[in-house]
Amino acid sequence: MLEILAPAGSMESALAALNNGANAIYLGLSSSFSARQGAENFDADAFRAIILRAHLCGAKVYVALNTVVRSGEEVEAFLKDLLFAWNEGADAIILQDIFLGKMVHELYPEIVLHLSTQAGVCNVYGAKVAKDYGFSRVILARETPLAEIAKIAEFIETETFVHGALCTCFSGQCYFSSFIGGNSGNRGRCK
């Protein structure tokens, strides 16, 4: 299946994508653990509105909860955002942490999980672990060789980027921004 998936950092960009034929959009919640901290993102009311609009258009909405979640209170807050997004109609949840995904899959097996490019999966072995842990799709690191993409696509849905990136580091493995300015990409604040 080919799917045109567009980022939606605001209501305006979400509507532009939907009005121009995107099959799906991905977005972050304003209260959540999204690596899209620089985007406008969606509060509860805006999220409900875009879910309704997307589904009326026959499009899907994927919610990025793809930052590192620290143990303790953050897990509780993460689960609250996860369940809000899913119960309001999200079609899938995008996670960075493969082990957090395993936990979510064990607790809520009906939730559809996509493994974020932040996880750095770029080979068959990483994709197999993702599938074993309950992910239905891997969003491959942009460094993944074409031959490896073909092998991975044989057993799990794959998502790849069709554009370049501003980043000069390996997907999901950079700590440079955190070291030089205290702005962790793993917390959605890469500079």
Side-chain angles (χ1 to χ4, degrees):
M1 167 188 82
L2 178 64
E3 176 182 74
I4 298 175
L5 171 61
S10 66
M11 184 62 80
E12 181 181 14
S13 62
L15 293 173
L18 295 171
N19 291 339
N20 286 285
N23 304 106
I25 56 174
Y26 67 96
L27 54 85
L29 301 174
S30 56
S31 64
S32 75
F33 299 90
S34 171
R36 301 181 54 75
Q37 292 296 311
E40 192 174 301
N41 291 317
F42 291 75
D43 65 16
D45 290 336
F47 181 69
R48 288 182 184 105
I50 203 60
I51 285 279
L52 178 62
R53 177 65 180 266
H55 289 167
L56 286 172
C57 293
K60 295 183 178 183
V61 177
Y62 306 139
V63 177
L65 296 175
N66 58 339
T67 62
V68 172
V69 177
R70 296 183 181 124
S71 62
E73 289 180 19
E74 279 198 357
V75 173
E76 186 177 321
F78 164 82
L79 289 173
K80 181 180 174 187
D81 283 353
L82 170 85
L83 293 173
F84 166 78
W86 186 255
N87 290 333
E88 291 296 330
D91 295 286
I93 306 295
I94 303 169
L95 300 178
Q96 172 185 6
D97 185 334
I98 196 166
F99 298 107
L100 182 62
K102 182 179 181 191
M103 180 193 84
V104 167
H105 182 66
E106 290 169 355
L107 291 172
Y108 310 103
E110 69 281 5
I111 294 179
V112 178
L113 300 175
H114 294 177
L115 187 59
S116 175
T117 189
Q118 289 297 107
V121 172
C122 60
N123 59 43
V124 168
Y125 307 107
K128 284 183 178 176
V129 171
K131 184 171 182 167
D132 289 347
Y133 282 11
F135 289 87
S136 65
R137 177 186 291 190
V138 290
I139 305 167
L140 298 174
R142 66 186 183 283
E143 301 84 12
T144 309
L146 288 175
E148 203 69 11
I149 294 171
K151 292 177 194 173
I152 293 166
E154 291 177 10
F155 64 89
I156 191 170
E157 278 186 31
T158 59
E159 182 179 318
T160 59
F161 290 88
V162 294
H163 60 79
L166 298 175
C167 182
T168 60
C169 295
F170 192 87
S171 297
Q173 305 300 311
C174 179
Y175 297 94
F176 188 65
S177 180
S178 184
F179 290 144
I180 64 168
N183 297 300
S184 174
N186 292 319
R187 301 291 285 182
R189 303 199 180 280
C190 182
K191 296 294 181 190

